[in-house]
Amino acid sequence: MTVSDPKADVHRYLRSAREAVLWKLDGLSEYDIRRPMTPTGTNLLGLVKHLGGVEFGYFGDTFARPYDEPLSQYDFDADPTADMWATAEQSRGEIIGFYRRSWAHSDATIEALDLTAQGLVPWWSEEHRAVTLHGILVHVIAETHRHAGHADIIRELIDGVAGLVNGNDNMPSADCAWWLRHRAKVEKAAELAAGPTA
């Protein structure tokens, strides 16, 4: 019988989500990793930048574990989306490095504290502010996987690359013609469900 280690289990899911986000940048141009692909400006490098800040905040500020990173330079009053996109001056390497440093900081917090360790999320409402490491791990895993899904869709829109992780896309093996037929089948079902149009 395998003995489960709850902290190791959730930590493994966080690590896999992080890697899923980063590999979506592989092989793309500077333009493609930065360009807004939705009406709200969602872009691949911005998701990475945002998630770095998420990890520093939740595993740093929440548990009073200091870090030396430039989060305070974001002027959220001037631009409430400052952490969701990269300026032309911010390099891919700089933002990926920031994200990887957030991992190291978060991993040190996770390793140092018990799942029952208490923390306070200063930006949450008073009644929800008190948390445990376990609760924050679950929260950050959910947020990271949510943004990994965004990144997956954005990457597919850019160049058709889709799936779980590099080398294991978890997609049906099919050629382009199969996918065109599949998409047409899904479109037809949507049209039939909508009924006749006026």
Side-chain angles (χ1 to χ4, degrees), residues 46-116:
L47 290 172
V48 173
K49 182 179 174 182
H50 170 69
L51 286 169
V54 164
E55 289 213 29
F56 276 121
Y58 283 113
F59 293 109
D61 298 332
T62 298
F63 297 100
R65 295 183 57 89
Y67 50 89
D68 184 23
E69 289 292 335
L71 296 178
S72 61
Q73 74 179 332
Y74 300 157
D75 185 352
F76 289 111
D77 290 331
D79 181 357
T81 66
D83 67 330
M84 296 295 292
W85 62 283
T87 68
E89 296 75 31
Q90 293 172 317
S91 72
R92 175 194 311 234
E94 178 184 339
I95 291 175
I96 290 173
F98 170 71
Y99 191 31
R100 288 191 183 279
R101 290 190 304 278
S102 79
W103 300 1
H105 182 272
S106 299
D107 290 349
T109 298
I110 294 163
E111 290 164 13
L113 302 177
D114 292 330
L115 286 177
T116 58

Side-chain angles (χ1 to χ4, degrees), residues 112-195:
L113 302 177
D114 292 330
L115 286 177
T116 58
Q118 299 288 307
L120 294 172
V121 182
W123 53 92
W124 284 5
S125 65
E126 191 68 40
E127 65 271 15
H128 297 106
R129 192 167 288 168
V131 295
T132 63
L133 177 63
H134 179 260
I136 290 302
L137 263 164
V138 171
H139 179 82
V140 174
I141 289 166
E143 179 148 355
T144 306
H145 274 287
R146 176 176 178 251
H147 290 312
H150 295 149
D152 197 35
I153 291 168
I154 291 169
R155 180 67 191 254
E156 186 175 358
L157 290 171
I158 291 170
D159 67 357
V161 171
L164 184 63
V165 294
N166 192 13
N168 178 16
D169 64 14
N170 206 29
M171 301 289 287
S173 295
D175 61 17
C176 186
W178 185 92
W179 283 111
L180 288 171
R181 288 190 306 275
H182 171 72
R183 189 186 183 291
K185 175 176 63 179
V186 174
E187 176 69 27
K188 184 66 173 174
E191 290 171 356
L192 289 171

